Amino acid sequence: MVSFAFANKKLDISSVKADVSYASSIKYLVDTSGQLSILQVSSEAYNADFKHYSKNFNIQNNQALWGRLTITNSDSKSVTSVVMISDWIGGDIVNIYLQKDDEQDFDVLKTGYLRSIKEKTISEDCSRSYFKLKLNSKETKQVYFRLQNLTGFQPRIILSFESKDNFKARVQNRDLLQGLFQGVLLLLIAFSIIAYYFVKEKSLLFYSLHIFLIGLFFLNFHGFFQSHLFTESPFISHFFWIIALGGGTVAYIHFLVGITIPKSDNNWIKWVKTYSLIKIALLIGTLIGIILDFSLYSYGINIFLALTPFEFLIVVIYIIASVSVKNKANLFFIIGAFLLYAGTTATYLKYELSSRLYADSTFIQIGVCLEIILFSIGIAYRFNQLEKKRVFENENLITRLREEEEAQVRINEGLERKVKERTKTLESQQLKIVEQNNELKKQQKELETQKNQLALQNQIIEQQNSQLLLTSENLESLVKSRTEELSKANRALIRHIHQLQDFAYITAHNLRGPIASLMGLINIFNKNDLNDSFNQKVLEEIEVSTLKLNDVVKDLNEILQIKKGNNLKIENISIEEIVKLVLRDLYYQVKQYNVKVDISIKDAKWINGIRSYVNSIFAIIIENAIKYRSKKRSLEIKVESTFFTSNEILVTIEDNGMGIDLSKYRDKIFGLYQRFHIHVEGKGMGLYLAKTQIEALGGRIDIESDVEKGTTFYLYFPF
């Protein structure tokens, strides 16, 4: 149960004043665990733990600060106000809890410097923690807020009230002034870059960088990065504070020293370069540390703030040193530097010592504008000095050139006299040289004629040599080609002879049995008594032997058709499609024995061949895998394909069936009518047909097998 008695006094929203902090109306509770909920802190158990407001908080990164106050509206009308809880220091994640009519239920509003735009209840000003509060006439609400600090800064509680119209007008005025301010900075950056293009003064580039980082600082200061650029990741804008604070002073000091100290003063220049390298290294190290641990952010800011007095001392020493350089332009830079630091100091004192609520940047921006104006005047004055110096140096140069020109005229007159005398001598020598040249030309013509004759003869010889070399190469190539063709033909003829020998042997062997049976049956047939009952049994056996003989003839005829099948159509065949067609034909066996088939077709997806042959080869091997499956495990078949060589495709069909002992049967495995497992019906003709068909396609087949482990067939198709 929540009671309004928890708060010492009520804050009347109808009588609050703008730009006044009412933080003293808050009681606070430090949640050291960081885990307390609103229902816990709003209960009576935690009532005594709330203390009066104090500016001296010590909140760690994993802790939270709870605040509680009671707000009422004594006016006869409803009042809507924009409430600011804290500024950007320490107000990273803020939740506002507004009590509903049910005292155990709360409306939750989200705000905070590190909240995204979508989460915030008020997004027009992202530099502080705001929420909107509306109270009806005579209404009182208990308000809790939970503030969590992620950057290491201690929170700065404000609690101020502002009407919606005043808030909107203030934000619009701020946006207008900042827009004008940023526009002026962009014009000055453009002016500096253009000036650098003409005068090639490097310090102007540092001046442009200094102005750019100033603009970056104030865009971040007023929350424009969070509201327009990093809307979903506002913590990124924190890095620009470090960059602006760390890099701005480096560019600033480089500009001041470069524009005012003579380049001959190497001590100052070396010292500034050394300090800049140290500062940049510190900046990079700080950024890396913050990326690794965001809670180190406050330490990073404090490091660069601590360096500010030291850098101010550098500027003071520089000013004292530059006064000794008699250059009126330096006066503008000296005054501009003092105005910038004066504006910065005034802004800091106003923020820390005054009763105003907002971190007003007016003084520092005025200081920046005055500094930029004086710096621009100083730069213009410096350019005017450089122009006068250039004109003076040009006049001196012209005078020296005139004096040198007169001396050159006198030298030229003396040289002309010597040239005339020398010319006469050269003319007489030239006549002799002309005569010698004519003689040399005659000799040269004779040599050229001889040279042309030799070149023509060499050309004829080279043409003859080229023709002989070409003829020799053609003969070698032709001989090599014919030799290869003959070797292939011989190998094919030998293989064909072996096949014919095997076929003749198989034919004789397989026909001998049925024919011998027929002859024996004919001999025992009772020709004298055709009605003999024994003759009926003989006829039945003759029929059986005849059918066997017919089967043998059919098998041999099929083999002959395969070996002779040159006119069958060669087509492009999908490996995966052929496998699926075979599995469809064997559907009932696959389903009955729960066969698992894994088809892994990679880059090699097509083969060229006769469709009926390819279908028969795959059907024989897959059906054999099902026939000779192991009774100890479920049958698994794996089909893969890949490019074996540049002109061969390898298809692998692997099973985990019974396997076969190849140490005994390797020579017979692809023979005709060879059977190695008698528990399954068959003629022993399948693998012979598969081998015959794949060889008819120009391919080859191989096998690997282990007993009770499985069998793998390797099918090599020409590509």
Side-chain angles (χ1 to χ4, degrees):
M1 176 68 71
V2 178
S3 173
F4 291 141
F6 285 179
N8 288 341
K9 58 181 180 180
K10 298 179 181 179
L11 184 63
D12 192 347
I13 196 173
S14 63
S15 60
V16 295
K17 297 179 181 179
D19 290 349
V20 175
S21 174
Y22 292 92
S24 59
S25 302
I26 302 173
K27 282 191 172 184
Y28 74 92
L29 167 67
V30 177
D31 179 8
T32 56
S33 67
Q35 303 296 322
L36 294 179
S37 67
I38 179 60
L39 293 179
Q40 289 176 308
V41 300
S42 62
S43 65
E44 293 185 7
Y46 285 89
N47 181 31
D49 294 331
F50 278 89
K51 308 295 182 183
H52 287 288
Y53 171 77
S54 171
K55 291 184 178 181
N56 299 319
F57 296 113
N58 185 16
I59 308 299
Q60 303 300 321
N61 291 333
N62 57 349
Q63 298 178 352
L65 177 68
W66 285 87
R68 184 186 69 192
L69 70 155
T70 304
I71 304 176
T72 187
N73 177 21
S74 62
D75 202 345
S76 58
K77 299 179 180 179
S78 64
V79 176
T80 301
S81 182
V82 176
V83 183
M84 180 173 68
I85 287 293
S86 68
D87 62 6
W88 62 274
I89 297 179
D92 298 332
I93 303 295
V94 182
N95 287 347
I96 311 298
Y97 301 92
L98 302 178
Q99 182 186 10
K100 294 184 178 180
D101 294 337
D102 181 358
E103 293 183 352
Q104 291 185 344
D105 195 8
F106 294 85
D107 287 322
V108 181
L109 305 178
K110 295 182 178 181
T111 183
Y113 194 73
L114 293 182
R115 290 283 192 190
S116 66
I117 287 294
K118 292 181 180 180
E119 293 180 301
K120 290 185 178 183
T121 56
I122 295 179
S123 59
E124 289 85 350
D125 185 356
C126 293
S127 62
R128 297 165 183 86
S129 301
Y130 293 98
F131 71 96
K132 186 167 66 175
L133 177 65
K134 180 179 179 180
L135 291 181
N136 296 322
S137 176
K138 308 304 179 182
E139 183 181 7
T140 300
K141 278 193 176 182
Q142 189 87 8
V143 179
Y144 287 85
F145 67 84
R146 182 184 186 274
L147 186 147
Q148 187 175 3
N149 167 33
L150 303 180
T151 57
F153 284 111
Q154 294 304 314
R156 180 183 171 111
I157 307 300
I158 301 296
L159 189 62
S160 67
F161 298 83
E162 189 175 11
S163 68
K164 290 191 300 182
D165 294 337
N166 287 345
F167 176 77
K168 184 177 180 181
R170 179 172 60 80
V171 172
Q172 289 176 345
N173 291 336
R174 180 206 65 180
D175 293 346
L176 177 61
L177 291 175
Q178 291 305 313
L180 292 172
F181 179 71
Q182 296 294 330
V184 171
L185 295 184
L186 288 175
L187 289 175
L188 289 170
I189 290 173
F191 165 75
S192 301
I193 294 174
I194 293 171
Y196 168 76
Y197 177 77
F198 286 104
V199 300
K200 305 302 180 185
E201 178 64 50
K202 290 184 180 179
S203 56
L204 290 174
L205 295 180
F206 287 107
Y207 184 56
S208 301
L209 179 60
H210 167 59
I211 296 173
F212 172 75
L213 291 174
I214 286 175
L216 200 69
F217 176 85
F218 285 109
L219 285 174
N220 201 28
F221 183 85
H222 292 287
F224 290 108
F225 282 161
Q226 295 112 307
S227 60
H228 294 87
L229 191 57
F230 306 114
T231 56
E232 296 301 319
S233 304
F235 67 89
I236 296 177
S237 64
H238 275 60
F239 293 100
F240 289 98
W241 289 105
I242 300 291
I243 294 171
L245 285 173
T249 53
V250 172
Y252 183 69
I253 293 174
H254 262 282
F255 164 70
L256 285 177
V257 173
I259 201 71
T260 58
I261 299 298
K263 294 182 180 179
S264 59
D265 192 349
N266 292 326
N267 292 331
W268 263 100
I269 295 173
K270 289 180 180 178
W271 194 93
V272 169
K273 286 183 178 179
T274 302
Y275 175 75
S276 300
L277 290 175
I278 295 172
K279 187 73 175 290
I280 291 171
L282 181 61
L283 174 61
I284 295 173
T286 303
L287 290 174
I288 294 173
I290 293 172
I291 291 172
L292 296 176
D293 187 356
F294 196 68
S295 64
L296 299 176
Y297 177 76
S298 63
Y299 296 101
I301 289 289
N302 288 330
I303 286 172
F304 291 105
L305 289 176
L307 289 175
T308 302
F310 176 69
E311 291 167 345
F312 179 74
L313 179 62
I314 294 174
V315 174
V316 171
I317 296 172
Y318 142 75
I319 290 171
I320 295 172
S322 63
V323 169
S324 63
V325 180
K326 295 180 179 180
N327 189 335
K328 293 182 180 180
N330 289 1
L331 182 62
F332 294 103
F333 300 125
I334 294 169
I335 297 173
F338 269 121
L339 288 174
L340 174 63
Y341 278 96
T344 304
T345 303
T347 299
Y348 177 77
L349 293 175
K350 182 180 178 181
Y351 180 66
E352 291 294 334
L353 303 178
S354 69
S355 61
R356 291 183 61 82
L357 306 178
Y358 308 106
D360 194 352
S361 63
T362 303
F363 285 152
I364 190 171
Q365 288 184 282
I366 291 173
V368 168
C369 291
L370 292 175
E371 178 222 32
I372 290 173
I373 292 170
L374 288 171
F375 276 21
S376 300
I377 295 172
I379 292 170
Y381 188 83
R382 179 68 180 274
F383 289 164
N384 185 44
Q385 288 179 323
L386 293 173
E387 182 64 22
K388 288 180 179 180
K389 183 179 179 181
R390 186 183 63 81
V391 171
F392 177 74
E393 290 175 350
N394 287 342
E395 291 176 352
N396 290 336
L397 180 60
I398 292 171
T399 302
R400 288 197 301 272
L401 289 174
R402 285 175 180 173
E403 293 174 353
E404 291 174 358
E405 185 179 0
E406 293 174 356
Q408 189 66 40
V409 169
R410 292 192 295 271
I411 294 170
N412 289 341
E413 290 175 353
L415 289 173
E416 285 178 1
R417 289 192 299 271
K418 293 181 180 180
V419 167
K420 288 179 181 179
E421 295 173 357
R422 184 64 175 167
T423 301
K424 291 180 181 180
T425 305
L426 291 174
E427 285 177 352
S428 62
Q429 293 177 352
Q430 188 175 7
L431 291 174
K432 294 179 181 179
I433 293 171
V434 168
E435 293 176 356
Q436 294 174 356
N437 285 339
N438 291 333
E439 183 66 26
L440 289 172
K441 286 180 180 178
K442 290 180 182 180
Q443 295 176 359
Q444 187 176 3
K445 286 182 180 179
E446 293 176 358
L447 290 172
E448 286 180 354
T449 302
Q450 295 175 0
K451 182 180 178 181
N452 290 334
Q453 292 175 352
L454 289 172
L456 181 60
Q457 293 174 358
N458 288 333
Q459 186 176 2
I460 293 171
I461 293 171
E462 288 179 358
Q463 289 178 352
Q464 292 174 349
N465 288 336
S466 299
Q467 188 172 3
L468 288 172
L469 180 63
L470 181 61
T471 303
S472 175
E473 290 177 351
N474 290 337
L475 285 173
E476 289 179 0
S477 177
L478 182 61
V479 169
K480 184 177 180 180
S481 176
R482 293 291 175 84
T483 302
E484 290 179 355
E485 290 177 0
L486 288 173
S487 297
K488 289 182 181 178
N490 287 335
R491 288 195 297 270
L493 181 60
I494 291 170
R495 185 172 62 251
H496 188 61
I497 291 171
H498 288 321
Q499 290 177 350
L500 287 176
Q501 290 174 346
D502 293 342
F503 186 75
Y505 171 77
I506 291 168
T507 302
H509 179 272
N510 292 331
L511 290 176
R512 188 183 300 123
I515 291 174
S517 297
L518 286 174
M519 292 178 66
L521 291 169
I522 290 172
N523 287 331
I524 64 174
F525 186 78
N526 189 355
K527 298 176 183 178
N528 298 322
D529 185 7
L530 297 177
N531 294 323
D532 188 353
S533 60
F534 180 72
N535 285 349
Q536 183 64 30
K537 292 182 180 180
V538 171
L539 289 174
E540 289 176 357
E541 291 298 325
I542 290 173
E543 182 180 7
V544 171
S545 296
T546 304
L547 290 175
K548 287 182 180 179
L549 181 62
N550 184 59
D551 287 342
V552 171
V553 172
K554 283 183 178 180
D555 292 342
L556 297 177
N557 183 60
E558 184 177 356
I559 294 169
L560 288 173
Q561 290 298 324
I562 293 172
K563 292 181 179 292
K564 190 175 66 175
N566 295 327
N567 296 326
L568 295 177
K569 180 182 177 183
I570 301 295
E571 57 182 303
N572 203 19
I573 303 169
S574 168
I575 299 173
E576 185 173 359
E577 179 185 349
I578 283 292
V579 174
K580 289 182 178 180
L581 285 173
V582 170
L583 293 175
R584 187 179 65 185
D585 293 339
L586 300 173
Y587 172 77
Y588 292 104
Q589 293 97 310
V590 171
K591 185 176 180 181
Q592 178 181 359
Y593 301 115
N594 192 24
V595 180
K596 295 181 180 179
V597 181
D598 179 16
I599 304 174
S600 178
I601 307 300
K602 298 180 180 176
D603 48 353
K605 298 182 179 181
W606 302 84
I607 54 177
N608 293 324
I610 301 170
R611 182 174 290 275
S612 60
Y613 286 9
V614 176
N615 187 82
S616 173
I617 293 166
F618 279 85
I620 288 168
I621 294 174
I622 294 175
E623 187 174 9
N624 276 358
I626 297 174
K627 283 182 179 180
Y628 302 111
R629 65 191 179 278
S630 174
K631 295 181 179 181
K632 298 179 181 180
R633 52 189 171 272
S634 298
L635 178 60
E636 295 181 359
I637 302 174
K638 187 175 183 180
V639 182
E640 295 181 340
S641 71
T642 185
F643 287 105
F644 184 68
T645 63
S646 60
N647 55 5
E648 259 187 333
I649 290 176
L650 171 61
V651 179
T652 305
I653 303 177
E654 179 183 354
D655 66 60
N656 63 342
M658 296 172 61
I660 188 169
D661 189 353
L662 293 180
S663 63
K664 297 180 180 179
Y665 306 117
R666 178 174 288 277
D667 296 337
K668 299 180 180 180
I669 191 70
F670 293 109
L672 185 61
Y673 299 121
Q674 296 294 327
R675 300 185 66 234
F676 310 104
H677 299 285
I678 60 175
H679 69 283
V680 178
E681 294 183 359
K683 296 189 292 182
M685 186 176 172
L687 292 181
Y688 179 82
L689 281 177
K691 182 175 184 293
T692 303
Q693 287 171 330
I694 196 168
E695 287 179 349
L697 296 175
R700 54 197 174 95
I701 185 171
D702 200 358
I703 183 173
E704 287 183 2
S705 184
D706 291 316
V707 177
E708 279 306 324
K709 290 185 178 180
T711 302
T712 302
F713 284 93
Y714 300 96
L715 308 177
Y716 300 89
F717 291 93
F719 177 66

